[in-house]
Amino acid sequence: MYQIQETRQAGQTILLIPSMMDDHFPLLQYAFHSEEYWPVILENTQGITDQGLRYGHNDMCYPFTLCPGQYLQALASGEYDLDHTALLMPSAGDACRGSNFTSLIRKGLAAAGYPQVPVLTLNVKGLEREQSLSIRPYMVWRALFALYYGDLLMLLTHQTRPYEREKGSTDTCRAAWTERLAQDLKTGRGLTLGRMKKNFTRMAAEFAAIPRIGGPKKRVGLVGELYTKYCALGNWDMVAFLEGEGCEAAVNGFSWYILYYVDNQIAGTSGPRRAGWKAVSALLAGLQRSMTEALRAHGFCCLDPFPAFRCQAERDMSMNLQVADGWLMGAEMAAHLRSGCARVLAMQPFGCLPNHVCGRGQYAALARRFPQGKVVSVDLDSSGSPAQVYNRVKMLLEG
């Protein structure tokens, strides 16, 4: 993790946040940095699964095992003053079972002996208002920058590291940019849209200048639920495994999910609320377009910006399922296959019903539409083993 060394103020609440997105959270944590809260992104270490299963509910989806496991391990470490510590659990607030995480985590904390530690939720749907983290303007503005900077760093890293001439040069460049951007986010300085767009170009240029060696590699599209798509613990280091097999992992940016979520809110509202969501969508889509233009101008690739991506998705599949990742998962599969990824890997966590409906439910249709491509899914849960998953992935790579 890329963390800036700072000094916490007396009486400040430590806000523990589970690591669910390795490339984004080092920057997103600064959205919550204030005189009141001191955010700490928890690391993915050994023993998390055992802790989560001991005090969690094993009928929930696999990420539910991992998030409580991170919390409980951190609280038992002795590193934090439990009278000045709170837990933050982000939630989409829709019909996905993830909206039940906070109440179940509280039960687990009480059973583990930490009933005094509050569990706050973060959502825009008004769930658990009395125990939700207040969303303030500075949080939204900082998160906007962290979202696109995180996307760009992830896309640039995945497309540069497999080809780097000097091992470690890509990660060094990413760490330098993370440190630089984190300082801006923490202090709130330089957070203008004009500065963001200039940084898009500078970041893409610096990664493009890293010396490369070797020809094109197999590109493997990686899709799935947010935790299993973006977190090494959730997908058992799948990006590192693919790179070790001589491949390039193609993972779509988080901003596509955010725009998908906003699009679903537009469809379900009317009047002033609908107009507000449309304004948000227009701002986000415009920034995403600037990011993709910077990528492509320097020889990198990405899926189409969301408006075009959505139009194509309407031709590919039904848009009716909007719970959790909903139609986004199938749309990403089709977009990867269309963009030249002949192989797509669907990382599906145990217990995530939308992922299985929109994942496996699309395979036959995708096979008919893209006979030159291949889609393979792997199930991730606490009873499985990395060896089983890796062997299945090798079948995808060799097929």
Side-chain angles (χ1 to χ4, degrees):
M1 304 297 291
Y2 305 110
Q3 302 259 3
I4 296 175
Q5 297 299 318
E6 308 171 70
T7 303
R8 189 170 69 88
Q9 299 180 33
Q12 200 171 35
T13 299
I14 303 170
L15 193 64
L16 301 182
I17 308 171
S19 178
M20 296 184 289
M21 302 173 62
D22 296 338
D23 292 286
H24 296 76
F25 274 18
L27 294 174
L28 279 171
Q29 66 176 320
Y30 292 102
F32 310 107
H33 193 282
S34 67
E35 293 183 358
E36 182 180 1
Y37 292 115
W38 172 268
V40 173
I41 303 297
L42 299 175
E43 295 184 5
N44 294 312
T45 55
Q46 297 298 319
I48 287 174
T49 301
D50 292 340
Q51 286 275 49
L53 286 173
R54 185 177 306 160
Y55 296 105
H57 195 303
N58 61 6
D59 282 340
M60 295 291 286
C61 61
Y62 183 50
F64 177 73
T65 300
L66 302 177
C67 291
Q70 290 181 63
Y71 286 141
L72 291 165
Q73 191 176 75
L75 296 177
S77 68
E79 297 180 20
Y80 308 105
D81 177 359
L82 301 189
D83 292 329
H84 292 87
T85 299
L87 311 181
L88 180 64
M89 189 68 242
S91 171
D94 57 19
C96 169
R97 287 185 293 175
S99 298
N100 297 317
F101 276 16
T102 50
S103 59
L104 292 174
I105 288 171
R106 291 187 191 106
K107 292 182 179 179
L109 290 179
Y114 307 110
Q116 77 276 31
V117 179
V119 183
L120 306 178
T121 183
L122 178 69
N123 65 84
V124 297
K125 302 299 285 290
L127 298 181
E128 300 191 347
R129 292 182 185 275
E130 70 284 357
Q131 299 186 74
S132 64
L133 184 75
S134 298
I135 300 176
R136 298 165 185 171
Y138 77 85
M139 292 181 181
V140 176
W141 193 243
R142 290 181 187 177
L144 179 68
F145 284 76
L147 167 67
Y148 288 104
Y149 287 151
D151 266 7
L152 189 56
L153 284 172
M154 181 191 72
L155 292 166
L156 291 170
T157 298
H158 288 178
Q159 294 180 55
T160 304
R161 189 167 52 205
Y163 306 95
E164 63 188 9
R165 179 177 299 170
E166 182 180 347
K167 187 172 178 60
S169 57
T170 303
D171 287 338
T172 297
C173 184
R174 181 181 66 174
W177 268 106
T178 300
E179 184 81 7
R180 191 182 315 171
L181 297 170
Q183 289 286 3
D184 290 345
L185 290 167
K186 180 173 70 78
T187 62
R189 293 195 301 264
L191 300 185
T192 66
L193 298 184
R195 173 81 171 270
M196 179 196 288
K197 294 175 182 178
K198 288 180 180 178
N199 279 338
F200 288 163
T201 300
R202 292 167 182 159
M203 292 160 70
E206 285 196 23
F207 277 84
I210 294 175
R212 298 182 171 220
I213 191 171
K217 298 179 181 289
K218 289 181 181 178
R219 296 182 68 240
V220 180
L222 184 60
V223 304
E225 179 269 342
L226 294 179
Y227 204 127
T228 54
K229 182 162 62 172
Y230 294 118
C231 179
L233 179 69
N235 60 37
W236 294 342
D237 288 308
M238 187 51 61
V239 171
F241 176 78
L242 289 173
E243 291 181 358
E245 293 293 312
C247 301
E248 174 192 329
V251 186
N252 198 26
F254 185 45
S255 58
W256 275 261
Y257 171 83
I258 296 297
L259 277 158
Y260 153 83
Y261 183 84
V262 172
D263 186 73
N264 290 344
Q265 305 313 305
I266 293 173
T269 56
S270 60
R273 191 173 181 83
R274 180 183 179 89
W277 281 115
K278 280 192 170 185
V280 170
S281 179
L283 171 63
L284 295 174
L287 293 174
Q288 189 187 68
R289 184 174 59 253
S290 297
M291 180 187 71
T292 58
E293 288 173 353
L295 280 164
R296 291 170 174 173
H298 289 85
F300 297 97
C301 59
C302 61
L303 299 187
D304 287 337
F306 186 80
F309 173 86
R310 189 191 188 287
C311 286
Q312 182 60 54
E314 287 184 305
R315 296 190 285 271
D316 287 333
M317 65 197 64
S318 169
M319 311 290 281
N320 290 332
L321 186 50
Q322 299 175 353
V323 174
D325 300 274
W327 60 261
L328 179 68
M329 184 174 175
E332 285 189 350
M333 290 183 196
H336 281 308
L337 291 167
R338 188 176 289 106
S339 69
C341 285
R343 296 164 177 81
V344 174
L345 177 63
M347 307 291 292
Q348 300 187 153
F350 168 81
C352 183
L353 299 181
N355 258 254
H356 285 75
V357 171
C358 295
R360 286 192 175 88
Q362 292 292 334
Y363 293 171
L366 290 170
R368 290 192 296 270
R369 191 173 298 113
F370 303 99
Q372 78 285 2
K374 187 175 182 180
V375 179
V376 164
S377 68
V378 293
D379 291 337
L380 297 161
D381 68 77
S382 53
S383 66
S385 72
Q388 292 174 320
V389 171
Y390 295 155
N391 286 335
R392 185 161 176 78
V393 174
K394 285 184 177 181
M395 292 173 59
L396 169 68
L397 300 181
E398 295 169 0

